[in-house]
Amino acid sequence: MKLKNFTTGLSILLIWLLGAGANAVTQVSTSRLALLSHGINADNIVNNSRLSDYTSTDIFRLRLMGINNIRIPIDPSYIVVGVPIAGQTTLSSVSRVNFGKNRLSQYVRLFIQGGFAVTLVIQPQKSFYKLSDGNSESIILRGIDLLTKQFA
């Protein structure tokens, strides 16, 4: 199985698992699906080296613009120890993972309190694709396990 197809499939599974109560994709209510119609990617939470902060003013402005869904792509090196870090020759450490988990929790909580639906998607970086399929699959599964235990 190609890694990109595997990653896409697992991302869809994670979105479904985080669907809070839907028994099957076909049984998701229209009102819940409507939440996904006006969203943005917040790819600077735990997905790259250019991290940004969101304030209560930002949350207010996003709501005024009609945004109702925040998609947070997650670099596995921020949630799983021992993952290649993009642009570096090192692997993710316990301190990086603790930082990533805390930051992710902080922003998921902020966005949910702001009234947004939040979608979490594991999105590996280029250095990740150099791993064997078995190794990458293990890392993605550990990431999904962690996210579902913490947020589902």
Side-chain angles (χ1 to χ4, degrees), residues 21-42:
N23 292 327
V25 175
T26 57
Q27 295 176 353
V28 176
S29 71
T30 304
S31 61
R32 182 148 178 84
L33 289 174
L35 291 175
L36 303 176
S37 65
H38 294 97
I40 63 164
N41 280 340

Side-chain angles (χ1 to χ4, degrees), residues 25-82:
V25 175
T26 57
Q27 295 176 353
V28 176
S29 71
T30 304
S31 61
R32 182 148 178 84
L33 289 174
L35 291 175
L36 303 176
S37 65
H38 294 97
I40 63 164
N41 280 340
D43 67 348
N44 48 9
I45 302 292
V46 287
N47 194 45
N48 61 48
S49 60
R50 298 177 317 270
L51 302 179
S52 294
D53 293 319
Y54 292 85
T55 66
S56 57
T57 302
D58 297 325
I59 299 299
F60 178 74
R61 289 179 179 160
L62 289 169
R63 294 300 295 171
L64 282 178
M65 291 188 302
I67 301 299
N68 53 22
N69 178 50
I70 306 293
R71 179 181 177 269
I72 302 176
I74 302 165
D75 176 349
S77 73
Y78 277 107
I79 60 170
V80 178
V81 174

Side-chain angles (χ1 to χ4, degrees), residues 77-97:
S77 73
Y78 277 107
I79 60 170
V80 178
V81 174
V83 176
I85 300 172
Q88 299 181 24
T89 57
T90 58
L91 300 177
S92 56
S93 64
V94 170
S95 63
R96 177 183 176 91
V97 167

Side-chain angles (χ1 to χ4, degrees), residues 77-126:
S77 73
Y78 277 107
I79 60 170
V80 178
V81 174
V83 176
I85 300 172
Q88 299 181 24
T89 57
T90 58
L91 300 177
S92 56
S93 64
V94 170
S95 63
R96 177 183 176 91
V97 167
N98 286 339
F99 169 81
K101 289 178 183 178
N102 289 334
R103 185 169 167 83
L104 183 59
S105 292
Q106 170 192 350
Y107 281 102
V108 167
R109 187 172 39 255
L110 176 72
F111 290 131
I112 288 173
Q113 289 172 350
F116 298 97
V118 176
T119 306
L120 303 176
V121 180
I122 294 179
Q123 184 173 315
Q125 303 300 305
K126 288 181 185 178

